[in-house]
Amino acid sequence: PEPGRCAHFVLRKGRFCRMVPAAGRRFCGEHGHEEEQNDRKRIPCPLDPKHTVYEDQLQKHLKKCNSREKPKPVYFVQDINAGLKDVAEIPEKQVPLSSLSIEELQNLIIKLKKASNGLELHLKEQILSHQALQEALNDPKNGESAFKHLKQQASILGNMEKLHLLGPGRCFVEFGAGRGKLSHWVDIALENVDSVQFLLVERATTRFKVDGKHKRRDSIFERLQVDIQHLCLNKVPILEKKKLPVVGIGKHLCGAATDLALRCLVESYTTCCDGEDEEPAPKRCRAAQTEVAPHKSAANESTTEDHKPVAGIVIALCCHHKCDWTHYVGRDFFKSVGLGPVEFHYFQRMSSWATCGMQETTSKASASEDSEDQTNDTEEHEQTLSRTESGSDTLQGALSVEERKEIGCLCKRLIDHGRVEYLQQQGYRAALQYYTEPAVSLENVLLTAVPNPLIPEPTI
């Protein structure tokens, strides 16, 4: 071990622990059980078993443990964006995909293709870039992984610029922010723009955040540690104070998190939350959708006079196999084509066929999530699927790899189309496009939406 460092050898990382032990000790607190200390015993913390604590100090530790339940912030409203309240719609027991017979699988594929008939399945390619990232893209010090992330971030910013969303007087809300790199580049792109603020929404504590790089005095960064399911933007103090129109952004917003974010923006944000028990209005009429400039109409009485609408939404989609019927915003679309929660359950599982097996993944990827050396790995949300979930065991003989990939892509597009229809019903112009090459990321579809312009009422 290095001088003054812990003597515990971390097999997974192939090096010694880098923590600093107490004076006179060879091991840090986490690995102190390897050193005889008057028979003191270390036990897993009951709040988070990823770390340990001395048994005789447990009660003291529980009062200051970072995993303890903290007071709820003012913008926490239980299940405000959860969606479905009627649990009767959800089947009690879901049969695993691998347990289906060949005939049952074929019937599902027939339903899938019938429901997809007439939909726009061939997305346009809109791979763009942005000047703000050119220096970083040309920096030879960046490795292959960093370069791929930069290309995606550059294209997202390019698409935002094309939609005229990069401008002054706006609040950018990054859902599933992680380290906050996407907001960081938006801030760089708006270097000489006034009245800009950023809200970084992430339910977990995040290491290696880039928040400290934002030194501009005229841009404000604030982290909201809350699950999107319980986030009421109306109650965020900084939004209440400045009342700027919101632009919702996200890079690889995993599974159901996309649906929660969409509902957070276009439903609960436009509803005045007077109390935590009050439910958001299920839908807004088209006339209530206004542009960035303030505008009042008779149909907008359900919203508060001070709140501005959402100026736009730009989200890179990811992990459809982690979607959930309870939170899914496209349930009405599925029902309109004769599908329900059972079909959705299988389609979201089958969606993993589009990416599973197409690139090398190892168990080391998930094991490294707690590594202090990790930087970009968790941002992609690329996780290894089990053989049961990927359907690669019993169903392998029924379909070829190419057929499974085609069906998986079809499942993704069907789920995404439900999201597009939902946004259209809420008064938005929504679209899907490929924003980067598959070689950069297999999850390469971007969902964008901007409010429909109001059609003025005819004068009599």
Side-chain angles (χ1 to χ4, degrees):
E2 299 176 12
R5 301 289 179 172
C6 177
H8 172 79
F9 188 78
V10 186
L11 289 175
R12 178 167 58 85
K13 299 179 182 178
R15 58 166 174 78
F16 285 94
C17 173
R18 292 173 178 168
M19 299 297 289
V20 179
R25 302 291 186 187
R26 294 182 58 239
F27 296 89
C28 67
E30 189 64 26
H31 303 117
H33 59 277
E34 299 181 24
E35 189 173 14
E36 291 295 331
Q37 295 185 7
N38 301 325
D39 296 327
R40 294 181 73 190
K41 181 182 177 183
R42 290 189 73 87
I43 60 173
C45 173
L47 300 178
D48 181 6
K50 290 182 180 179
H51 65 273
T52 59
V53 60
Y54 284 116
E55 189 173 27
D56 56 1
Q57 291 185 339
L58 178 61
Q59 295 306 317
K60 180 180 178 181
H61 171 79
L62 291 178
K63 295 178 181 179
K64 61 181 181 180
C65 178
N66 288 334
S67 298
R68 72 189 185 280
E69 186 175 358
K70 301 176 180 67
K72 297 292 189 295
V74 293
Y75 46 78
F76 181 97
V77 178
Q78 185 72 38
D79 294 329
I80 188 172
N81 306 312
L84 186 63
K85 300 293 192 298
D86 184 9
V87 294
E89 278 196 45
I90 306 171
E92 292 184 6
K93 187 176 181 181
Q94 306 280 12
V95 179
L97 188 61
S98 57
S99 301
L100 295 179
S101 66
I102 301 300
E103 291 75 20
E104 289 173 321
L105 176 64
Q106 289 174 340
N107 286 334
L108 275 174
I109 295 173
I110 291 171
K111 285 185 177 182
L112 173 66
K113 292 183 176 179
K114 182 180 178 182
S116 304
N117 188 30
L119 300 183
E120 182 57 53
L121 302 175
H122 301 288
L123 308 183
K124 66 178 179 179
E125 193 175 85
Q126 196 156 280
I127 302 173
L128 306 176
S129 190
H130 195 278
Q131 184 66 31
L133 289 95
Q134 288 311 304
E135 183 178 348
L137 285 168
N138 296 327
D139 188 349
K141 294 181 181 178
N142 286 318
E144 182 181 356
S145 176
F147 182 69
K148 288 182 176 181
H149 284 285
L150 289 168
K151 287 194 72 173
Q152 294 172 71
Q153 290 154 349
S155 185
I156 292 175
L157 261 68
N159 277 275
M160 291 176 67
E161 188 173 50
K162 186 171 183 178
L163 293 170
H164 307 291
L165 295 178
L166 293 178
R170 296 188 179 174
C171 175
F172 295 87
V173 182
E174 183 179 357
F175 294 93
R179 298 173 60 212
K181 291 299 287 287
L182 184 56
S183 291
H184 166 72
W185 289 116
V186 172
D187 184 48
I188 298 296
L190 299 174
E191 187 174 2
N192 299 316
V193 174
D194 298 327
S195 249
V196 176
Q197 62 189 39
F198 295 86
L199 295 176
L200 280 62
V201 182
E202 179 60 62
R203 64 181 177 183
T205 54
T206 308
R207 305 174 73 187
F208 310 110
K209 297 185 287 289
V210 297
D211 303 27
K213 295 183 179 181
H214 312 297
K215 300 184 183 299
R216 291 176 49 217
R217 295 181 179 178
D218 53 344
S219 62
I220 302 171
F221 279 78
E222 181 179 342
R223 278 193 172 261
L224 308 180
Q225 188 177 341
V226 62
D227 194 309
I228 305 171
Q229 181 171 334
H230 313 300
L231 172 61
C232 179
L233 286 176
N234 280 331
K235 293 191 172 186
V236 177
I238 199 168
L239 274 180
E240 280 188 324
K241 182 180 179 181
K242 291 200 172 183
K243 302 179 179 63
L244 298 177
V246 163
V247 177
I249 60 176
K251 176 174 175 284
H252 293 282
L253 195 54
C254 198
T258 293
D259 300 296
L260 295 171
L262 294 179
R263 194 175 285 107
C264 175
L265 289 165
V266 304
E267 286 189 35
S268 66
Y269 178 58
T270 56
T271 304
C272 181
C273 303
D274 293 325
E276 293 191 0
D277 296 329
E278 182 179 350
E279 293 185 4
K283 288 187 180 179
R284 296 172 63 205
C285 60
R286 186 175 295 266
Q289 306 296 336
T290 63
E291 294 185 18
V292 175
H295 182 87
K296 284 286 290 177
S297 68
N300 202 21
E301 291 177 359
S302 61
T303 61
T304 57
E305 184 176 352
D306 292 330
H307 279 97
K308 305 284 183 70
V310 174
I313 299 170
V314 179
I315 294 175
L317 304 173
C318 180
C319 298
H320 294 71
H321 63 277
K322 291 188 176 181
C323 291
D324 190 299
W325 177 258
T326 305
H327 305 312
Y328 182 50
V329 296
R331 291 193 303 268
D332 289 343
F333 162 71
F334 258 62
K335 293 174 184 177
S336 71
V337 292
L339 303 175
V342 175
E343 290 82 7
F344 181 84
H345 165 73
Y346 291 120
F347 291 166
Q348 51 113 198
R349 294 292 189 274
M350 290 158 64
S351 70
S352 65
W353 294 355
T355 54
C356 130
M358 300 303 295
Q359 61 180 13
E360 257 186 68
T361 53
T362 66
S363 57
K364 292 181 182 178
S366 57
S368 67
E369 287 187 7
D370 298 318
S371 168
E372 61 184 317
D373 297 324
Q374 182 196 13
T375 54
N376 294 320
D377 294 342
T378 56
E379 285 190 29
E380 284 289 0
H381 296 240
E382 293 171 351
Q383 299 185 7
T384 307
L385 297 175
S386 67
R387 290 177 62 86
T388 302
E389 188 165 9
S390 67
S392 59
D393 44 8
T394 57
L395 301 178
Q396 190 167 9
L399 298 167
S400 67
V401 172
E402 284 303 315
E403 286 174 328
R404 289 206 307 273
K405 180 183 176 184
E406 181 183 349
I407 291 168
C409 289
L410 200 58
C411 291
K412 283 177 175 286
R413 297 296 77 78
L414 189 69
I415 293 172
D416 290 340
H417 185 81
R419 291 164 167 166
V420 169
E421 279 215 357
Y422 165 80
L423 288 168
Q424 289 172 346
Q425 291 171 0
Q426 298 288 337
Y428 287 79
R429 292 201 309 269
L432 298 165
Q433 52 263 318
Y434 294 118
Y435 77 103
T436 193
E437 301 92 347
V440 174
S441 175
L442 293 174
E443 299 282 16
N444 62 340
V445 174
L446 189 71
L447 172 65
T448 61
V450 292
N452 275 324
L454 279 176
I455 302 175
E457 297 181 2
T459 56
I460 301 177

